[in-house]
Amino acid sequence: VLYGDVAPTYTFAISGFVNSQTTANAAGYVAPTCTSSYTRTTAAGSSVTITCSGGSATNYTFTYTSAALTITKRSTLTITAASPSAITYGASTPANSISTTGLAPNDVIASVTYTYAGSGSTTYAASTTAPTLPGTYSITPSAAVFTTGSLDNYTTVTYTAGSFTINAANLVITANSPSAITYGDSTPSNGYSTTGLNAADTITGITYTYAGTGSTVYAASTTAPTAAGTYSITPSAVTFSDTNAAGRYTSISYTAGSFTINKKALTVSPSNTNVTYGTASPTFTPTVTGFIAGQSASNAAGYSAPTCSSSGYSATNAATTTSTISCSGGSATNYTFTTTATATATVKIGRAHV
């Protein structure tokens, strides 16, 4: 019988009848039955004893002799590794599996050893460790271990390789958009976030380029701006600790962040002023405070002074009359002007001239 097949129907021959009798006409004839210990998992090459019993007839007794059942090997068992769907660099390696041709019905393969090797232009020495870098690979099974059955039950065992592809990934690097600062504050450190970066790859450097946006004029430069305005921050030229890492990505794209430097507030304060009765309204000159970095009204970029006036004053105001001095306007490249402070203009009695 072929290993793994169902047990055959055992036949037998009976001799010793007389008077031309046979199993067909001997009085009271009951045929014997033959059995063996064979099962579908009995190892190939074994010889199992076939024994018979149970025959009877009116005029005969039965003497039994045994025979042998030989289990022959199955021909070829082919074990083929599956070819999983391609993954993208950084994704988990899919579990391996096999299919078989010629496996005996009751045999169960518990495990096989999988060996990976680069194929085509991919260089990867044969290893049982699954690859992680982009490329194409063969997956060759070997050394099958059976839960039920064994390799010895087959004349030939062949292993057929599958294939496996890891595609390069797309990497997106996005510059952070730091919180706005005020003119004169320290420029915040740059940073970035990534989409598609493999945990095994380490970015060691990125170039950041600043440029003015909207109405801000600032030519593209790797030097961080200091003047008030709105700016883009564009990352580029990524470097990795492994110089081969960039080649593992189909594309590396960069997304700009944004950065705002708000103007610093200056405080405009008019002074209390005495005005002589009957004279024209004087020019009210305010005090402006809050400049930084040694700047003043004389050298702050784009500086235009605020103006102050007393809307309630006229040359005919009676002596001791008061009116409010308020200021408005003022502009500068890096400053805003707070003009909420007020002062008082008081009319004094002037000396009479005869």
Side-chain angles (χ1 to χ4, degrees):
V1 66
L2 187 65
Y3 170 76
D5 283 358
V6 297
T9 300
Y10 300 111
T11 60
F12 53 86
I14 298 179
S15 60
F17 287 106
V18 297
N19 300 322
S20 300
Q21 293 177 353
T22 66
T23 58
N25 58 13
Y29 176 80
V30 175
T33 57
C34 301
T35 62
S36 78
S37 61
Y38 170 78
T39 69
R40 300 182 78 173
T41 58
T42 301
S46 302
S47 180
V48 177
T49 300
I50 304 171
T51 59
C52 300
S53 63
S56 64
T58 303
N59 298 307
Y60 296 96
T61 61
F62 289 77
T63 301
Y64 302 97
T65 59
S66 62
L69 175 67
T70 301
I71 298 93
T72 60
K73 292 185 177 185
R74 298 185 82 86
S75 57
T76 300
L77 168 62
T78 302
I79 300 173
T80 302
S83 296
S85 299
I87 64 170
T88 299
Y89 175 57
S92 298
T93 302
N96 288 312
S97 62
I98 57 168
S99 61
T100 61
T101 303
L103 184 69
N106 282 28
D107 279 6
V108 178
I109 296 176
S111 66
V112 298
T113 298
Y114 296 95
T115 301
Y116 301 84
S119 59
S121 60
T122 302
T123 301
Y124 189 77
S127 173
T128 56
T129 300
T132 58
L133 300 182
T136 55
Y137 304 88
S138 62
I139 311 172
T140 304
S142 64
V145 175
F146 286 73
T147 300
T148 302
S150 78
L151 293 175
D152 294 335
N153 295 315
Y154 300 87
T155 302
T156 305
V157 178
T158 61
Y159 295 94
T160 302
S163 62
F164 174 46
T165 299
I166 302 176
N167 293 321
N170 295 316
L171 172 61
V172 179
I173 300 173
T174 302
N176 292 344
S177 295
S179 299
I181 63 171
T182 300
Y183 174 65
D185 291 347
S186 298
T187 303
S189 299
N190 288 313
Y192 62 89
S193 60
T194 61
T195 302
L197 180 67
N198 191 310
D201 293 335
T202 301
I203 293 175
T204 55
I206 291 177
T207 298
Y208 295 94
T209 301
Y210 302 84
T213 60
S215 60
T216 302
V217 177
Y218 189 77
S221 173
T222 55
T223 301
T226 57
T230 56
Y231 304 89
S232 62
I233 311 172
T234 304
S236 64
V238 62
T239 57
F240 297 87
S241 57
D242 182 348
T243 56
N244 295 317
R248 301 165 190 163
Y249 298 90
T250 302
S251 67
I252 299 177
S253 59
Y254 300 93
T255 302
S258 60
F259 174 47
T260 299
I261 302 176
N262 293 321
K263 293 185 177 185
K264 184 174 178 61
L266 297 177
T267 300
V268 180
S269 303
S271 300
N272 293 329
T273 305
N274 293 327
V275 182
T276 301
Y277 170 72
T279 61
S281 178
T283 298
F284 301 107
T285 302
T287 300
V288 180
T289 58
F291 291 102
I292 61 170
Q295 295 176 1
S296 66
S298 63
N299 61 9
Y303 183 82
S304 177
T307 59
C308 302
S309 63
S310 177
S311 59
Y313 174 79
S314 73
T316 59
N317 283 2
T320 71
T321 299
T322 61
S323 60
T324 300
I325 303 169
S326 60
C327 304
S328 62
S331 63
T333 302
N334 297 309
Y335 296 97
T336 59
F337 291 77
T338 301
T339 57
T340 55
T342 61
T344 301
T346 303
V347 181
K348 297 295 184 179
I349 299 173
R351 179 177 295 178
H353 296 276
V354 179

